[in-house]
Amino acid sequence: MIFMEYNRANAVAYAKKWAYGRNPKYYDFSDLGGDCTNFASQCIYAGSGVMNYTTTYGWYYISVNNRAPAWTGVDELYRFLTTNRGAGPRAILTDLSQIQNGDIIQLQFTDKERFDHSPVVVDAGNRTPQSILVAAHSYDADCRPLSSYRYIKIRPLHITNVGE
């Protein structure tokens, strides 16, 4: 297995370009439960350039009807990133002190067990909720302070590398 560096600048540039728009190469899931993780996956892909085409447990997008659950599902993306041992991006669950531009911070809004939102870090600031700025879909935003969300829990995911 060859490991490549995650291109954080590319991920952030993509997030800023498409924060308030929709890339026509991808379906807009806004009316089907939300577009946040689809947008996060697009940003991660812009920084990694590698998809994982493993059926069911991979991370890929070919079309609206041919994609992995991890491409659009919040918890599924978490599972893929933190357990991936093949092609594509890999991440570790961390705390805010380790977060960098291009990482993902998943948010839980209710007391249910599932997480609800996957914003992309566009500026890590000094790694506090007040200084971390994110871009997102569903609740379209760019340079939104993490602290402006009303969340119960956060799940910071630091992308470590990309397997090829």
Side-chain angles (χ1 to χ4, degrees), residues 100-136:
Q100 294 181 27
N101 294 355
D103 285 342
I104 308 297
I105 301 177
Q106 295 186 322
L107 306 174
Q108 184 179 25
F109 296 138
T110 65
D111 58 4
K112 62 182 181 172
E113 291 185 28
R114 294 183 60 87
F115 277 70
D116 303 289
H117 197 42
S118 298
V120 179
V121 176
V122 294
D123 186 342
N126 63 10
R127 296 176 175 83
T128 64
Q130 296 76 20
S131 69
I132 293 172
L133 303 178
V134 298

Side-chain angles (χ1 to χ4, degrees), residues 9-154:
N10 284 357
V12 169
Y14 186 96
K16 291 185 149 305
K17 178 177 182 178
W18 293 105
Y20 293 110
R22 301 298 187 266
N23 185 335
K25 293 179 183 177
Y26 300 94
Y27 187 81
D28 179 0
F29 292 89
S30 295
D31 294 332
L32 296 173
D35 197 53
C36 69
T37 305
N38 176 42
F39 176 67
S41 287
Q42 292 172 44
C43 295
I44 296 167
Y45 181 63
S48 67
V50 178
M51 292 186 188
N52 181 312
Y53 293 98
T54 305
T55 306
T56 307
Y57 300 107
W59 176 78
Y60 62 90
Y61 180 98
I62 297 169
S63 70
V64 63
N65 295 315
N66 189 1
R67 70 185 192 283
W71 190 270
T72 52
V74 177
D75 287 322
E76 292 82 357
L77 178 62
Y78 167 78
R79 271 192 299 282
F80 172 77
L81 289 173
T82 59
T83 63
N84 180 28
R85 298 296 170 254
R90 298 164 180 218
I92 57 170
L93 180 62
T94 188
D95 57 45
L96 292 181
S97 69
Q98 301 300 311
I99 216 71
Q100 294 181 27
N101 294 355
D103 285 342
I104 308 297
I105 301 177
Q106 295 186 322
L107 306 174
Q108 184 179 25
F109 296 138
T110 65
D111 58 4
K112 62 182 181 172
E113 291 185 28
R114 294 183 60 87
F115 277 70
D116 303 289
H117 197 42
S118 298
V120 179
V121 176
V122 294
D123 186 342
N126 63 10
R127 296 176 175 83
T128 64
Q130 296 76 20
S131 69
I132 293 172
L133 303 178
V134 298
H137 277 187
S138 297
Y139 309 96
D140 288 9
D142 183 24
C143 294
R144 180 176 176 174
L146 181 62
S147 61
S148 70
Y149 288 97
R150 292 186 174 189
Y151 55 83
I152 293 172
K153 289 183 185 174
I154 62 172

